[in-house]
């Protein structure tokens, strides 16, 4: 971030406090709403480009309607392609621990689409007394720490992403009912997209590893080699040095650059109740190092990129 960026944030009354060394910052002195002006929204986007995920404490004034209004001011909301929105809302996806809303595996949101979301806005509604944190990882830092040889390999690999994956294999303690719901709701329509393993961020120019649990296989290699390669690159993403962990309180909001991160909701709170509500913002089709764009395999290609 440049000195001018910092002056802009200060002039708007923002305070940006880094949370971890490579990713994440808390933004203080701002009240999120759909009426924020263009200068404030631009400053938030610039700050998000640097820190990848931003945290906002005490946004208890937000409800479903005003969360959607803020999301609409920041970008173009995108409904999940298979999971119904919360009743009475236009874009909100409710993640309720009592109904299978425990996303405890490393992923980037909805990468089985070609133009997957550029950002997600998550609000804490009900939090357990202990546990239920969320962890994010910086996929640019992961790429930067690769050796030159691994960077060269990653730059030339492509992978198939899909929502039709082995749900039980990526999560522990899964019930038959959760597996059934995954098949009947989440994978009710099967999507498959081929993405470059490394994509170039459209705003920062940084190179990011694009892996996570929607990656089904790396193309052009055997299934055994695909699994080994996935493990190598995914392990770099989730190294503790590349992560930030947030302890939620009711009214907290997190906004993350979905093109630059993976995240994991820690399922360590037993039978306690946890409810989060999320709006995602439509993105654009990723571009690989060689300039080629991601491509839809299934169903028939239809882009939902942001206008």
């Amino acid at each position: 971030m440049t000195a001018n960026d910092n002056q802009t944030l200060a002039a708007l009354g923002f305070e940006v406090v880094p949370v971890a060394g490579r990713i994440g910052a808390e933004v203080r002195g701002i009240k999120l709403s759909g009426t924020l002006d263009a200068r404030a929204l631009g400053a938030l986007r610039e700050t998000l480009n640097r820190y990848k995920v931003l945290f906002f404490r005490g946004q208890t004034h937000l409800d479903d309607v005003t969360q959607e209004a803020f999301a609409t001011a920041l970008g173009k909301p995108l409904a999940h392609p298979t999971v119904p929105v919360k009743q009475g809302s236009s874009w909100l996806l409710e993640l309720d621990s009592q109904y299978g809303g425990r996303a405890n595996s490393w992923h980037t949101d909805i990468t089985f689409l070609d133009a997957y979301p550029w950002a997600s806005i998550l609000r804490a509604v009900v939090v357990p007394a202990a546990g239920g944190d969320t962890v994010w990882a910086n996929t640019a830092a992961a790429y930067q720490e690769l050796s030159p040889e691994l960077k060269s390999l990653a730059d030339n690999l492509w992978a198939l992403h899909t929502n039709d994956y082995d749900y039980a294999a990526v999560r522990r303690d899964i019930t038959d009912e959760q597996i059934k719901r995954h098949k009947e709701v989440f994978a009710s329509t099967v999507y498959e997209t081929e993405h470059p393993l490394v994509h170039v961020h459209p705003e920062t120019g940084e190179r990011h590893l694009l892996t996570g649990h929607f990656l089904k296989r790396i193309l052009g290699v055997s299934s055994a080699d695909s699994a080994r390669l996935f493990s190598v690159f995914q392990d770099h993403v989730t190294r503790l040095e590349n992560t930030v962990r947030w302890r939620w309180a009711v009214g907290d909001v997190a906004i993350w650059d979905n093109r630059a991160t993976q995240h994991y909701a820690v399922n360590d709170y037993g039978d306690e109740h946890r409810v989060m509500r999320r709006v995602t913002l439509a993105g654009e089709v990723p571009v690989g190092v060689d300039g080629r764009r991601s491509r839809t395999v299934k169903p028939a290609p239809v882009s939902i990129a942001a206008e």
Side-chain angles (χ1 to χ4, degrees), residues 15-273:
E15 182 183 5
V16 179
V17 181
V19 178
R22 295 183 182 178
I23 178 175
E26 181 183 349
V27 181
R28 300 171 182 171
I30 185 171
K31 185 176 181 179
L32 301 179
S33 75
T35 60
L36 286 175
D37 62 25
R39 189 175 173 215
L41 293 169
L44 283 176
R45 287 193 66 140
E46 291 171 2
T47 308
L48 188 60
N49 280 340
R50 175 176 181 179
Y51 291 103
K52 319 306 184 195
V53 56
L54 301 178
F55 305 105
F56 306 81
R57 290 284 193 194
Q59 304 292 309
T60 53
H61 61 282
L62 289 177
D63 57 16
D64 295 350
V65 172
T66 51
Q67 182 180 357
E68 288 188 327
F70 168 67
T72 302
L74 190 62
K76 178 182 178 181
L78 171 70
H80 195 283
T82 58
V83 181
V85 297
K86 180 179 178 289
Q87 187 173 6
S89 67
S90 299
W91 311 105
L92 278 175
L93 182 67
E94 183 165 81
L95 305 171
D96 189 328
S97 62
Q98 295 181 346
Y99 300 98
R102 298 179 185 242
N104 55 319
S105 59
W106 282 105
H107 65 287
T108 296
D109 285 333
I110 322 182
T111 60
F112 46 85
L113 299 183
D114 57 353
Y116 60 89
W118 82 262
S120 290
I121 303 166
L122 189 65
R123 174 170 60 99
V125 179
V126 178
V127 300
D133 299 357
T134 303
V135 188
W136 286 263
N138 182 337
T139 57
Y143 177 84
Q144 284 301 321
E145 70 181 10
L146 296 177
S147 69
E149 292 78 11
L150 281 178
K151 285 180 181 176
S152 179
L153 174 61
D155 287 347
N156 290 283
L157 291 174
W158 281 65
L160 181 73
H161 291 238
T162 181
N163 60 332
D164 185 22
Y165 63 94
D166 188 349
Y167 182 71
V170 297
R171 289 178 168 87
R172 298 179 180 179
D173 303 321
I174 296 301
T175 65
D176 291 342
E177 180 60 30
Q178 288 172 321
I179 294 174
K180 181 173 182 283
R181 184 178 185 276
H182 171 79
K183 292 178 178 178
E184 293 180 353
V185 178
F186 193 86
S188 56
T189 299
V190 173
Y191 292 86
E192 293 183 348
T193 296
E194 293 178 352
H195 288 299
L197 195 74
V198 177
H199 74 92
V200 181
H201 195 285
E203 296 181 48
T204 68
E206 293 177 316
R207 295 183 181 186
H208 292 265
L209 290 173
L210 179 51
T211 53
H213 77 222
F214 294 122
L215 191 156
K216 186 172 185 178
R217 68 176 183 274
I218 294 175
L219 303 176
V221 300
S222 69
S223 58
D225 286 341
S226 173
R228 293 187 185 99
L229 288 169
F230 172 83
S231 180
V232 168
F233 294 116
Q234 182 68 11
D235 286 351
H236 277 278
V237 171
T238 59
R239 283 188 61 202
L240 289 179
E241 290 82 357
N242 293 331
T243 65
V244 62
R245 181 165 178 154
W246 187 252
R247 173 69 185 124
W248 293 98
V250 171
D252 285 0
V253 171
I255 305 173
W256 64 92
D257 187 335
N258 196 53
R259 305 161 297 185
T261 58
Q262 287 185 35
H263 58 282
Y264 185 114
V266 183
N267 183 15
D268 61 348
Y269 49 95
D271 294 331
E272 290 200 52
H273 198 195

